[in-house]
Amino acid sequence: MTTLSIFDQSQPETARTVTENPSEIRELLAGKGIRFEQWHTRDLPADASQDQILEAYSNEVAKLKAECGFQTADVISLNPDNPQKEALRKKFLDEHTHSEDEVRFFVRGQGLFYLHFGNEVFAVLCQKNDLISVPDGTRHWFDMGPEPEFTCIRLFSNPEGWVAEFTGEDIATRLPRYEALAGASG
């Protein structure tokens, strides 16, 4: 289930707010400029290709492209048997920003976005059918867990993709990781 946990960075061991209510999650994230939606998912084969996935969601993707000026969309998929899963997880675990919005729609599986606002960190465990759009310049990091299993549609303004600008802050090392938060959600 989609979960939002809000931490005070001075007390990172305990979330002061946890909710699984999609309307409340949407409202709390909107208050920070984060777009959060839940789209209806399509029945797709487990081995669906990028083209099949993009075709299944072509209306939603076209709407976002027109509304937000995105130029391209692709699909990223990761499974527990990927031999590079450890390196890929590590790549996204440090706090960073981008010069364009980071948009992901979860076609299957789950992943954990951490969003850093002043003294607060919002940890959003996104699940199948969740769309999250992290505005450019937002301090964040992503944890896919030790056994990643997800497929996401990503949208880009720059066809070359996102370039991470790392903040050098160690905040990501002080908060509970995916294993603690995803396990707590059930």
Side-chain angles (χ1 to χ4, degrees), residues 35 37 61-71 101 103 133 155-157:
R35 181 180 193 152
E37 300 173 1
V61 168
K63 180 181 171 201
L64 275 179
K65 282 181 172 181
E67 180 184 330
C68 302
F70 296 117
Q71 300 297 308
D101 295 359
V103 181
S133 180
L155 290 104
F156 301 94
S157 299

Side-chain angles (χ1 to χ4, degrees), residues 12-29:
E13 59 283 345
T14 307
R16 68 168 194 257
T17 303
V18 178
T19 183
E20 295 178 346
N21 178 322
S23 298
E24 186 177 7
I25 292 171
R26 185 174 20 265
E27 184 178 312
L28 288 166
L29 291 174

Side-chain angles (χ1 to χ4, degrees), residues 15 78 104 179:
L78 208 56
R104 287 199 187 156
E179 297 86 336

